[in-house]
Amino acid sequence: MKLVLGFVLVISSMSALAWEADNTKALSDVSYIPAQGTFFGRTTMEWNSITGEIGLTSSEVDYSAGFTTFGQEIGYGISDRLQVLVGYENQLKGRIAVEANGNRDIEGPANPDLGFIYRVLKQEDDSINLDIGVSYSPDLFDSESNSTKNESDNASGGSSITLGGRGAKKFTNVDMTAEVRLRLNGSTETKDTVTKEKEKEDSTSDFLISYTAQLPIENGFFVKGKLTSIMSSESKSKDSSGTTKTETSSSTALEASLVYAILPETLVLEAGFGLLSASEYEVKTPTQTQKYRDQSGNRVFISALYQF
């Protein structure tokens, strides 16, 4: 909460600049929440790719990964301050390729998210927007792999809870938000459908910080920039061969997109591109230590936001 308040103070202090606050509400706002009695939806398609290097005891190998993902979010404004939303993702295509070690395909739906967002402060009354939220992802889908075909599904094999806060300020010439999220992942279990062996992973956590700025151009067009940093905790998993430990890691993404409010009250389209970099970290298996390094990637996405 201290971080959220810190972000809010930074955003609030921007009013000292020669910018005029804009208290109007629009579907294109980066801190949009629906009015009471309004349904909204967001449909997204994204393409992610990443490359890197794995350092082994006596050699180094290259690896690459590519994923195509469809996402859908549906929400409803219970009041002008409170919204409920359900999110769903389906990995349509995914492949991890490791040099001299073949490919692994990862496809299928992830567990859905059910959440609430509450607007504590409203800019028209309190000079800034301040939101808090919570979401829960139940363990609905079994996490399974097939060691013969080198395939696995996209289910996590466990449940998770996410807590977050967002501060925002809208001016006539820029719309800004700062957000923090903490995701607490419960222990997970993955079953090999061929050998019937199970791999169990202890609970983990992820912490996210992001900053977004959106500037109007003209005729309903906007340009948006977003900087995101994610820190993932150490993890430990066990199977019949022993224990595998993965070090704490972090990643940073920088995105730019073009937003078009084609129907300002009904439909907003967005298309963007992002760059990703990840920190070095070690994975200690029962037989060797793997050092992941020189990791970078990109993301291309298109989305539509609509309300009715």
Side-chain angles (χ1 to χ4, degrees):
M1 182 59 71
K2 289 182 179 179
L3 280 171
V4 176
L5 293 176
F7 292 150
V8 170
L9 289 173
V10 170
I11 292 173
S12 182
S13 68
M14 297 298 290
S15 59
L17 299 177
W19 295 346
E20 182 180 351
D22 182 356
N23 294 330
T24 62
K25 296 180 181 179
L27 183 60
S28 56
D29 292 349
V30 292
S31 60
Y32 160 83
I33 65 170
Q36 183 177 10
T38 301
F39 285 93
F40 76 94
R42 187 191 302 273
T43 303
T44 305
M45 281 290 297
E46 61 179 82
W47 297 264
N48 293 274
S49 65
I50 187 169
T51 59
E53 182 181 270
I54 305 174
L56 305 175
T57 304
S58 58
S59 64
E60 296 177 348
V61 297
D62 294 327
Y63 83 92
S64 62
F67 306 97
T68 301
T69 307
F70 168 82
Q72 180 63 56
E73 185 178 286
I74 296 291
Y76 177 74
I78 297 175
S79 72
D80 287 343
R81 289 181 181 268
L82 179 64
Q83 65 168 307
V84 59
L85 62 160
V86 177
Y88 164 83
E89 279 192 357
N90 189 0
Q91 193 156 284
L92 305 178
K93 184 178 181 181
R95 171 166 289 185
I96 300 175
V98 180
E99 182 183 359
N101 197 35
N103 302 326
R104 172 171 287 275
D105 293 328
I106 306 173
E107 299 177 1
N111 290 322
D113 282 290
L114 172 64
F116 295 88
I117 295 177
Y118 180 70
R119 177 144 293 176
V120 181
L121 302 178
K122 300 168 66 174
Q123 179 171 318
E124 55 266 40
D125 299 326
D126 305 292
S127 78
I128 60 168
N129 290 321
L130 176 62
D131 303 327
I132 57 174
V134 59
S135 67
Y136 175 66
S137 179
D139 182 18
L140 295 185
F141 304 117
D142 292 335
S143 177
E144 296 180 336
S145 64
N146 185 312
S147 54
T148 300
K149 296 181 179 180
N150 262 352
E151 296 176 347
S152 61
D153 60 32
N154 192 40
S156 64
S159 60
S160 66
I161 294 176
T162 301
L163 308 172
R166 176 178 64 185
K169 181 79 173 180
K170 183 181 179 183
F171 300 91
T172 53
N173 53 355
V174 65
D175 188 4
M176 300 180 297
T177 67
E179 183 174 3
V180 294
R181 292 185 207 166
L182 174 63
R183 185 175 66 188
L184 305 173
N185 307 299
S187 58
T188 65
E189 180 178 279
T190 301
K191 180 181 179 180
D192 190 319
T193 57
V194 177
T195 65
K196 309 303 180 184
E197 182 178 332
K198 295 181 179 181
E199 180 183 10
K200 297 183 178 182
E201 184 178 38
D202 294 344
S203 58
T204 60
S205 63
D206 302 288
F207 182 68
L208 174 148
I209 305 175
S210 69
Y211 302 89
T212 303
Q214 179 174 277
L215 287 74
I217 307 175
E218 59 180 12
N219 299 323
F221 282 96
F222 304 82
V223 290
K224 181 191 292 186
K226 185 174 184 179
L227 177 63
T228 303
S229 180
I230 301 176
M231 289 146 279
S232 299
S233 67
E234 180 183 81
S235 66
K236 183 188 297 183
S237 61
K238 297 180 181 179
D239 59 19
S240 60
S241 64
T243 299
T244 296
K245 294 182 179 180
T246 301
E247 281 186 336
T248 300
S249 62
S250 64
S251 62
T252 301
L254 179 63
E255 295 179 352
S257 61
L258 180 66
V259 179
Y260 179 36
I262 184 170
L263 299 171
E265 301 299 323
T266 309
L267 178 63
V268 175
L269 305 178
E270 182 176 1
F273 176 80
L275 297 174
L276 167 73
S277 65
S279 66
E280 296 185 6
Y281 64 91
E282 286 188 352
V283 178
K284 296 183 179 180
T285 73
T287 58
Q288 64 181 340
T289 297
Q290 304 170 351
K291 296 183 179 181
Y292 286 75
R293 54 197 179 211
D294 298 331
Q295 300 175 94
S296 62
N298 59 71
R299 173 179 181 250
V300 176
F301 65 94
I302 54 175
S303 70
L305 176 64
Y306 37 90
Q307 65 178 7
F308 49 93

